[in-house]
mmCIF file of all heavy atoms in Angstrom:
data_model
loop_
_atom_site.group_PDB
_atom_site.id
_atom_site.type_symbol
_atom_site.label_atom_id
_atom_site.label_comp_id
_atom_site.label_asym_id
_atom_site.label_seq_id
_atom_site.Cartn_x
_atom_site.Cartn_y
_atom_site.Cartn_z
ATOM 1 N N GLN A 1 0.795 -1.168 0.046
ATOM 2 C CA GLN A 1 -0.007 0.060 -0.007
ATOM 3 C C GLN A 1 0.821 1.277 0.050
ATOM 4 O O GLN A 1 2.022 1.243 0.503
ATOM 5 C CB GLN A 1 -0.915 -0.007 1.280
ATOM 6 C CG GLN A 1 -2.019 -1.072 1.203
ATOM 7 C CD GLN A 1 -3.054 -0.876 2.316
ATOM 8 O OE1 GLN A 1 -2.639 -0.513 3.336
ATOM 9 N NE2 GLN A 1 -4.288 -1.286 2.154
ATOM 10 N N ARG A 2 0.305 2.383 -0.524
ATOM 11 C CA ARG A 2 0.957 3.665 -0.382
ATOM 12 C C ARG A 2 1.136 4.029 0.995
ATOM 13 O O ARG A 2 0.102 3.894 1.726
ATOM 14 C CB ARG A 2 0.093 4.648 -1.245
ATOM 15 C CG ARG A 2 0.923 5.829 -1.498
ATOM 16 C CD ARG A 2 0.156 6.838 -2.462
ATOM 17 N NE ARG A 2 0.128 6.190 -3.733
ATOM 18 C CZ ARG A 2 -0.370 6.927 -4.749
ATOM 19 N NH1 ARG A 2 -0.801 8.200 -4.705
ATOM 20 N NH2 ARG A 2 -0.529 6.299 -6.008
ATOM 21 N N GLU A 3 2.248 4.511 1.401
ATOM 22 C CA GLU A 3 2.579 4.855 2.788
ATOM 23 C C GLU A 3 3.075 6.343 2.858
ATOM 24 O O GLU A 3 3.842 6.655 1.783
ATOM 25 C CB GLU A 3 3.419 3.848 3.536
ATOM 26 C CG GLU A 3 4.832 3.862 2.851
ATOM 27 C CD GLU A 3 5.834 2.922 3.668
ATOM 28 O OE1 GLU A 3 5.369 2.227 4.572
ATOM 29 O OE2 GLU A 3 6.820 2.698 3.239
ATOM 30 N N LEU A 4 2.861 6.918 3.964
ATOM 31 C CA LEU A 4 3.408 8.268 4.245
ATOM 32 C C LEU A 4 4.967 8.116 4.481
ATOM 33 O O LEU A 4 5.333 7.272 5.329
ATOM 34 C CB LEU A 4 2.863 8.962 5.486
ATOM 35 C CG LEU A 4 3.510 10.350 5.917
ATOM 36 C CD1 LEU A 4 3.283 11.345 4.898
ATOM 37 C CD2 LEU A 4 2.951 10.559 7.312
ATOM 38 N N VAL A 5 5.736 8.923 3.860
ATOM 39 C CA VAL A 5 7.205 8.986 4.130
ATOM 40 C C VAL A 5 7.543 10.267 5.011
ATOM 41 O O VAL A 5 8.012 9.975 6.096
ATOM 42 C CB VAL A 5 7.919 9.174 2.872
ATOM 43 C CG1 VAL A 5 9.505 9.303 3.061
ATOM 44 C CG2 VAL A 5 7.796 8.068 1.995
ATOM 45 N N ALA A 6 7.020 11.462 4.514
ATOM 46 C CA ALA A 6 7.200 12.578 5.375
ATOM 47 C C ALA A 6 6.396 13.779 4.917
ATOM 48 O O ALA A 6 5.939 13.619 3.747
ATOM 49 C CB ALA A 6 8.735 13.070 5.251
ATOM 50 N N ARG A 7 6.012 14.637 5.721
ATOM 51 C CA ARG A 7 5.180 15.816 5.333
ATOM 52 C C ARG A 7 5.613 17.005 6.038
ATOM 53 O O ARG A 7 6.225 16.888 7.176
ATOM 54 C CB ARG A 7 3.742 15.559 5.452
ATOM 55 C CG ARG A 7 3.268 15.103 6.799
ATOM 56 C CD ARG A 7 1.750 14.639 6.806
ATOM 57 N NE ARG A 7 1.484 14.110 8.106
ATOM 58 C CZ ARG A 7 0.286 13.332 8.261
ATOM 59 N NH1 ARG A 7 -0.368 12.990 7.206
ATOM 60 N NH2 ARG A 7 -0.012 12.813 9.510
ATOM 61 N N ILE A 8 5.282 18.106 5.564
ATOM 62 C CA ILE A 8 5.431 19.433 6.317
ATOM 63 C C ILE A 8 4.457 20.440 6.060
ATOM 64 O O ILE A 8 3.775 20.411 5.058
ATOM 65 C CB ILE A 8 6.902 20.049 5.718
ATOM 66 C CG1 ILE A 8 7.278 21.217 6.405
ATOM 67 C CG2 ILE A 8 6.784 20.206 4.126
ATOM 68 C CD1 ILE A 8 8.817 21.679 5.955
ATOM 69 N N ASN A 9 4.112 21.151 7.248
ATOM 70 C CA ASN A 9 2.936 22.045 7.009
ATOM 71 C C ASN A 9 3.596 23.531 6.803
ATOM 72 O O ASN A 9 4.747 23.675 6.812
ATOM 73 C CB ASN A 9 1.997 21.883 8.207
ATOM 74 C CG ASN A 9 2.533 22.400 9.511
ATOM 75 O OD1 ASN A 9 3.615 23.015 9.556
ATOM 76 N ND2 ASN A 9 1.823 22.163 10.549
ATOM 77 N N ASN A 10 2.565 24.455 6.648
ATOM 78 C CA ASN A 10 3.065 25.822 6.310
ATOM 79 C C ASN A 10 3.868 26.398 7.493
ATOM 80 O O ASN A 10 4.633 27.294 7.272
ATOM 81 C CB ASN A 10 1.735 26.657 6.183
ATOM 82 C CG ASN A 10 1.191 26.438 4.720
ATOM 83 O OD1 ASN A 10 1.802 25.694 3.933
ATOM 84 N ND2 ASN A 10 -0.070 26.914 4.509
ATOM 85 N N GLY A 11 3.729 25.823 8.705
ATOM 86 C CA GLY A 11 4.561 26.396 9.863
ATOM 87 C C GLY A 11 5.733 25.729 10.035
ATOM 88 O O GLY A 11 6.639 26.046 10.879
ATOM 89 N N GLY A 12 6.143 24.838 9.155
ATOM 90 C CA GLY A 12 7.436 24.124 9.193
ATOM 91 C C GLY A 12 7.424 22.875 9.980
ATOM 92 O O GLY A 12 8.453 22.289 10.183
ATOM 93 N N LEU A 13 6.282 22.509 10.519
ATOM 94 C CA LEU A 13 6.061 21.319 11.388
ATOM 95 C C LEU A 13 6.264 20.079 10.549
ATOM 96 O O LEU A 13 5.528 19.968 9.465
ATOM 97 C CB LEU A 13 4.951 21.318 12.107
ATOM 98 C CG LEU A 13 4.623 20.244 13.153
ATOM 99 C CD1 LEU A 13 5.706 20.190 14.239
ATOM 100 C CD2 LEU A 13 3.269 20.149 13.623
ATOM 101 N N THR A 14 7.102 19.173 10.891
ATOM 102 C CA THR A 14 7.371 17.959 10.009
ATOM 103 C C THR A 14 7.003 16.649 10.810
ATOM 104 O O THR A 14 6.983 16.655 12.147
ATOM 105 C CB THR A 14 8.791 17.873 9.568
ATOM 106 O OG1 THR A 14 9.663 17.799 10.806
ATOM 107 C CG2 THR A 14 9.174 19.080 8.765
ATOM 108 N N ASN A 15 6.634 15.695 10.069
ATOM 109 C CA ASN A 15 6.572 14.329 10.786
ATOM 110 C C ASN A 15 6.926 13.150 9.607
ATOM 111 O O ASN A 15 6.932 13.575 8.355
ATOM 112 C CB ASN A 15 5.199 14.136 11.335
ATOM 113 C CG ASN A 15 4.116 13.884 10.351
ATOM 114 O OD1 ASN A 15 3.813 14.850 9.700
ATOM 115 N ND2 ASN A 15 3.564 12.605 10.153
ATOM 116 N N TYR A 16 7.659 12.238 10.146
ATOM 117 C CA TYR A 16 8.271 11.181 9.308
ATOM 118 C C TYR A 16 7.730 9.766 9.663
ATOM 119 O O TYR A 16 7.496 9.477 10.852
ATOM 120 C CB TYR A 16 9.860 11.247 9.540
ATOM 121 C CG TYR A 16 10.407 12.449 9.092
ATOM 122 C CD1 TYR A 16 10.584 13.619 10.012
ATOM 123 C CD2 TYR A 16 10.928 12.560 7.826
ATOM 124 C CE1 TYR A 16 11.262 14.768 9.545
ATOM 125 C CE2 TYR A 16 11.590 13.822 7.402
ATOM 126 C CZ TYR A 16 11.801 14.740 8.333
ATOM 127 O OH TYR A 16 12.332 15.981 7.939
ATOM 128 N N ALA A 17 7.795 8.908 8.669
ATOM 129 C CA ALA A 17 7.600 7.496 9.076
ATOM 130 C C ALA A 17 8.861 6.958 9.746
ATOM 131 O O ALA A 17 9.895 7.543 9.627
ATOM 132 C CB ALA A 17 7.623 6.712 7.760
ATOM 133 N N ASP A 18 8.584 6.039 10.720
ATOM 134 C CA ASP A 18 9.694 5.518 11.586
ATOM 135 C C ASP A 18 10.759 4.914 10.813
ATOM 136 O O ASP A 18 11.905 5.101 11.215
ATOM 137 C CB ASP A 18 9.132 4.531 12.641
ATOM 138 C CG ASP A 18 8.212 5.102 13.638
ATOM 139 O OD1 ASP A 18 8.267 6.357 13.953
ATOM 140 O OD2 ASP A 18 7.435 4.323 14.270
ATOM 141 N N SER A 19 10.388 4.404 9.711
ATOM 142 C CA SER A 19 11.302 3.759 8.949
ATOM 143 C C SER A 19 12.376 4.624 8.218
ATOM 144 O O SER A 19 13.536 4.216 7.806
ATOM 145 C CB SER A 19 10.753 2.858 7.754
ATOM 146 O OG SER A 19 9.897 3.768 6.910
ATOM 147 N N VAL A 20 12.143 5.945 8.230
ATOM 148 C CA VAL A 20 13.081 6.879 7.386
ATOM 149 C C VAL A 20 13.651 7.946 8.393
ATOM 150 O O VAL A 20 14.425 8.800 8.073
ATOM 151 C CB VAL A 20 12.334 7.645 6.268
ATOM 152 C CG1 VAL A 20 11.752 6.524 5.391
ATOM 153 C CG2 VAL A 20 11.320 8.646 6.765
ATOM 154 N N LYS A 21 13.178 7.974 9.659
ATOM 155 C CA LYS A 21 13.717 8.978 10.691
ATOM 156 C C LYS A 21 15.208 8.801 10.785
ATOM 157 O O LYS A 21 15.761 7.733 10.942
ATOM 158 C CB LYS A 21 13.034 8.677 11.983
ATOM 159 C CG LYS A 21 11.574 9.264 12.126
ATOM 160 C CD LYS A 21 11.067 8.993 13.511
ATOM 161 C CE LYS A 21 9.501 9.436 13.556
ATOM 162 N NZ LYS A 21 8.963 9.197 15.015
ATOM 163 N N GLY A 22 15.935 9.976 10.792
ATOM 164 C CA GLY A 22 17.304 10.002 10.905
ATOM 165 C C GLY A 22 18.065 9.840 9.568
ATOM 166 O O GLY A 22 19.303 10.041 9.435
ATOM 167 N N ARG A 23 17.253 9.464 8.549
ATOM 168 C CA ARG A 23 17.974 9.380 7.096
ATOM 169 C C ARG A 23 17.350 10.369 6.213
ATOM 170 O O ARG A 23 18.070 10.776 5.352
ATOM 171 C CB ARG A 23 17.727 7.914 6.707
ATOM 172 C CG ARG A 23 18.291 6.795 7.569
ATOM 173 C CD ARG A 23 18.163 5.473 6.868
ATOM 174 N NE ARG A 23 16.851 5.076 6.713
ATOM 175 C CZ ARG A 23 16.289 4.598 5.566
ATOM 176 N NH1 ARG A 23 17.048 4.712 4.337
ATOM 177 N NH2 ARG A 23 15.032 4.200 5.357
ATOM 178 N N PHE A 24 16.060 10.590 6.296
ATOM 179 C CA PHE A 24 15.442 11.456 5.257
ATOM 180 C C PHE A 24 15.122 12.836 5.881
ATOM 181 O O PHE A 24 14.746 12.829 7.156
ATOM 182 C CB PHE A 24 14.185 10.892 4.814
ATOM 183 C CG PHE A 24 14.215 9.594 3.982
ATOM 184 C CD1 PHE A 24 15.487 8.998 3.665
ATOM 185 C CD2 PHE A 24 13.113 9.188 3.227
ATOM 186 C CE1 PHE A 24 15.507 7.822 2.988
ATOM 187 C CE2 PHE A 24 13.187 7.954 2.458
ATOM 188 C CZ PHE A 24 14.492 7.323 2.214
ATOM 189 N N THR A 25 15.254 13.831 5.221
ATOM 190 C CA THR A 25 14.797 15.127 5.646
ATOM 191 C C THR A 25 13.844 15.754 4.593
ATOM 192 O O THR A 25 14.275 15.919 3.468
ATOM 193 C CB THR A 25 16.055 16.019 5.870
ATOM 194 O OG1 THR A 25 16.893 15.390 6.857
ATOM 195 C CG2 THR A 25 15.689 17.462 6.432
ATOM 196 N N ILE A 26 12.735 16.335 5.115
ATOM 197 C CA ILE A 26 11.845 17.121 4.168
ATOM 198 C C ILE A 26 11.952 18.551 4.503
ATOM 199 O O ILE A 26 12.200 18.971 5.696
ATOM 200 C CB ILE A 26 10.419 16.671 4.404
ATOM 201 C CG1 ILE A 26 9.531 17.249 3.340
ATOM 202 C CG2 ILE A 26 9.899 16.927 5.786
ATOM 203 C CD1 ILE A 26 8.120 16.579 3.337
ATOM 204 N N SER A 27 11.957 19.329 3.430
ATOM 205 C CA SER A 27 12.091 20.799 3.634
ATOM 206 C C SER A 27 11.310 21.368 2.611
ATOM 207 O O SER A 27 10.818 20.722 1.523
ATOM 208 C CB SER A 27 13.451 21.257 3.462
ATOM 209 O OG SER A 27 13.951 20.899 2.219
ATOM 210 N N GLY A 28 10.859 22.725 2.868
ATOM 211 C CA GLY A 28 9.956 23.332 1.776
ATOM 212 C C GLY A 28 10.300 24.781 1.644
ATOM 213 O O GLY A 28 10.951 25.383 2.525
#
């Protein structure tokens, strides 16, 4: 299934899937 990797809101708040924490970085 399609799964969330990471997301960021307008305020810069981010969240990540546990499997990518520490390896992936989202920015906007």
Side-chain angles (χ1 to χ4, degrees):
Q1 290 188 332
R2 190 173 298 189
E3 63 176 1
L4 172 69
V5 177
R7 59 190 172 196
I8 184 168
N9 69 10
N10 286 350
L13 183 66
T14 60
N15 65 293
Y16 296 89
D18 287 343
S19 59
V20 307
K21 283 180 181 177
R23 300 188 298 122
F24 292 10
T25 302
I26 190 169
S27 61

